[in-house]
């Protein structure tokens, strides 16, 4: 058993033990009050003995019961069978309680030179068995409720852990998919330059190496500070700008107070790639691109917009890059994150990513 599980086990049982002890203390206090109200004697050791012996014997019997019925927790989903299994232990309480509890009382009374008087044994067994039966089923009902609630919490915890592992595996797969895709597109850019301008191709290859080094430094992380993401995005933008030197102009508008906030790794790169692929490559004129990062309430907004792209009502820009990004946002943030691609009223296309941003 791990330290965490051991501490959880002790914590749970400490609650049960504390509740059990508190119950019997209350029973003793009530017995003492009744005794002092109805008896002239101040020998309060007597009610303490009566309830104390009952508490001791019932506790021992309950320990034996719980110790050897631990496997019955597998039947919690079938209440009738669970209660039927518990009912088998009732015979032990009936048989053992009277001899043990009243034996203790008789012995203590004998030690102080007194006689403990009680009903004849047959009547005593019948009366105490009825009390024990009521007591037994009351606590079995409470135990069933507590165990069922605990089982529900454990099931939820296992489901959450399973979902976490599934989400991590999904993000791992998406990350492994994204990096080769980015490298393929960047190498295509170098390939386009290598025959026409070897010097620029060499400079671009150096910039690409810097970007890849930054990417590899992230390892298996699924989110990184905005400052790191901006370095990756600027590196990618510099590589692409070498290919379209006279056809693209990029402006960066970043709220510096957000640089330490986490965003999905390689989230700006596919937004930039979408502009280069669908707009810059298709036109000869210059395309102006704005890249921004700002806060909007409790959201961090990353955006890339251009002044020349076109988006029809039925078009949904995608490909591996944006589809991958959408899947990662869903895995990381659920409904709290989203990616919107919209046409700007003044012309062009806006791609905007929103993720939670704690204050």
């Amino acid at each position: 058993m791990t330290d965490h599980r051991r501490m959880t086990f002790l914590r749970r049982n400490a609650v049960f033990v504390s509740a059990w002890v508190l119950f019997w203390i209350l029973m003793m206090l009530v017995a003492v009050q009744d005794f002092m109200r109805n008896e002239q004697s101040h020998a309060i050791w007597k009610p303490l003995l009566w309830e104390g012996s009952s508490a001791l014997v019932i506790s021992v019997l309950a320990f034996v019961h719980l110790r050897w019925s631990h496997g019955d927790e597998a039947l919690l989903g079938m209440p009738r069978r669970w209660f039927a299994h518990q009912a088998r232990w009732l015979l032990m309480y009936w048989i053992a309680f009277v001899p043990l509890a009243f034996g203790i009382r008789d012995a203590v009374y004998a030690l102080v030179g007194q006689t403990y008087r009680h009903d004849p044994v047959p009547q005593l067994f019948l009366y105490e068995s009825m009390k024990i039966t009521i007591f037994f089923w009351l606590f079995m009902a409470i135990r069933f409720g507590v165990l069922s609630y605990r089982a529900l919490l454990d099931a939820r915890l296992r489901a959450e852990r399973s979902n976490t592992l599934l989400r991590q595996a999904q993000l791992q797969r998406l990350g492994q998919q994204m990096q080769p895709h980015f490298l393929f597109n960047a190498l295509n850019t170098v390939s386009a330059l290598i025959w026409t301008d070897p010097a620029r191709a060499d400079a671009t290859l150096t910039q690409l190496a810097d970007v890849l080094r930054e990417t590899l430094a992230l390892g298996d992380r699924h989110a990184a500070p905005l400052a790191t993401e901006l370095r990756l995005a600027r590196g990618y933008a510099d590589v692409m700008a070498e290919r379209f030197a006279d056809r693209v102009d990029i402006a960066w508008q970043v709220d510096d107070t957000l640089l330490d906030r986490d965003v999905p790794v390689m989230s700006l790169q596919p937004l930039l790639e979408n502009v280069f692929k669908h707009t810059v490559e298709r036109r000869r004129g210059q395309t102006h691109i704005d890249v921004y990062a700002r806060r909007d309430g409790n959201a961090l907004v990353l955006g890339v917009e251009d002044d020349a792209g076109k988006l029809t009502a039925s078009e949904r820009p995608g490909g591996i890059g944006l589809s991958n990004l959408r899947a990662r946002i869903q895995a990381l943030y659920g409904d709290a994150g989203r990616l919107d691609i919209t046409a700007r009223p003044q012309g062009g296309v806006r791609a905007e990513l929103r993720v939670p941003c704690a204050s």
Side-chain angles (χ1 to χ4, degrees):
M1 182 181 293
T2 63
D3 291 341
H4 175 72
R5 292 183 63 186
R6 185 180 296 109
M7 290 300 297
T8 301
F9 175 81
L10 293 175
R11 198 160 48 239
R12 287 177 173 177
N13 282 274
V15 173
F16 277 113
V17 171
S18 299
W20 184 262
V21 171
L22 178 61
F23 170 80
W24 284 109
I25 289 176
L26 292 175
M27 292 292 289
M28 290 181 184
L29 292 175
V30 171
V32 169
Q33 290 180 348
D34 287 343
F35 179 81
M36 295 183 68
R37 184 183 301 112
N38 300 321
E39 300 288 340
Q40 298 299 322
S41 172
H42 294 285
I44 62 172
W45 62 270
K46 291 182 179 181
L48 292 177
L49 172 64
W50 304 337
E51 295 300 328
S53 60
S54 296
L56 176 60
V57 173
I58 290 291
S59 297
V60 172
L61 296 178
F63 176 80
V64 174
H65 173 190
L66 299 180
R67 174 66 179 82
W68 295 102
S69 65
H70 183 71
D72 292 344
E73 292 186 12
L75 302 175
L76 288 172
M78 298 173 283
R80 290 184 180 180
R81 291 188 61 186
W82 187 88
F83 280 103
H85 275 244
Q86 307 315 307
R88 297 179 303 177
W89 291 93
L90 190 54
L91 184 62
M92 176 190 72
Y93 289 88
W94 288 344
I95 294 174
F97 177 76
V98 170
L100 293 176
F102 283 79
I104 292 173
R105 298 175 193 179
D106 286 335
V108 173
Y109 267 75
L111 287 176
V112 297
Q114 297 184 27
T115 300
Y116 179 60
R117 302 185 184 280
H118 52 71
D119 294 334
V121 173
Q123 297 179 20
L124 183 64
F125 261 97
L126 179 60
Y127 176 72
E128 294 297 333
S129 295
M130 292 175 61
K131 287 174 55 179
I132 288 174
T133 301
I134 295 173
F135 180 88
F136 176 86
W137 287 120
L138 173 63
F139 274 86
M140 286 305 100
I142 295 173
R143 183 179 177 228
F144 178 80
V146 172
L147 291 178
S148 297
Y149 179 69
R150 181 187 298 177
L152 176 63
L153 293 181
D154 289 342
R156 286 182 177 176
L157 180 60
R158 288 193 299 270
E160 289 175 0
R161 288 175 177 171
S162 177
N163 289 336
T164 298
L165 292 175
L166 181 62
R167 186 167 62 250
Q168 289 176 347
Q170 179 186 15
L171 287 169
Q172 185 72 21
R173 176 180 60 81
L174 292 169
Q176 291 172 348
Q177 179 191 64
M178 191 63 194
Q179 292 177 9
H181 174 70
F182 161 72
L183 180 60
F184 174 79
N185 287 332
L187 288 176
N188 272 347
T189 299
V190 176
S191 177
L193 292 171
I194 198 167
W195 297 108
T196 59
D197 194 337
R200 286 176 60 195
D202 181 67
T204 303
L205 195 59
T206 300
Q207 292 174 324
L208 175 60
D210 292 338
V211 174
L212 292 176
R213 186 180 301 109
E214 190 79 32
T215 304
L216 291 173
L218 292 172
D220 294 331
R221 295 173 61 184
H222 308 307
L226 176 60
T228 301
E229 180 61 23
L230 286 170
R231 285 198 300 270
L232 286 172
R234 288 179 188 272
Y236 174 80
D238 290 343
V239 170
M240 298 303 290
E242 286 296 326
R243 181 177 177 182
F244 306 102
D246 300 327
R247 293 160 53 188
V248 65
D249 173 48
I250 304 178
W252 301 80
Q253 303 171 18
V254 177
D255 183 348
D256 291 340
T257 63
L258 301 174
L259 292 177
D260 61 341
R261 304 306 172 97
D262 282 350
V263 297
V265 169
M266 296 187 74
S267 51
L268 274 175
Q269 182 272 333
L271 302 185
L272 283 166
E273 177 189 351
N274 191 61
V275 178
F276 281 105
K277 181 177 180 180
H278 293 280
T279 302
V280 178
E281 285 185 1
R282 297 179 180 181
R283 60 192 307 266
R284 294 300 177 184
Q286 188 179 66
T287 300
H288 180 76
I289 301 173
D290 285 312
V291 182
Y292 55 87
R294 64 171 184 263
R295 180 193 291 272
D296 183 10
N298 293 325
L300 189 156
V301 180
L302 295 178
V304 175
E305 60 181 39
D306 65 80
D307 62 351
K310 295 181 179 180
L311 181 65
T312 64
S314 60
E315 186 178 6
R316 178 188 174 97
I320 293 178
L322 294 185
S323 298
N324 181 292
L325 179 57
R326 282 193 174 93
R328 287 189 289 135
I329 293 171
Q330 179 64 34
L332 283 169
Y333 307 107
D335 294 337
R338 72 174 191 266
L339 172 62
D340 298 318
I341 311 291
T342 57
R344 300 197 316 166
Q346 66 272 38
V349 175
R350 175 183 296 115
E352 202 167 73
L353 167 67
R354 287 175 174 266
V355 297
C357 180
S359 301

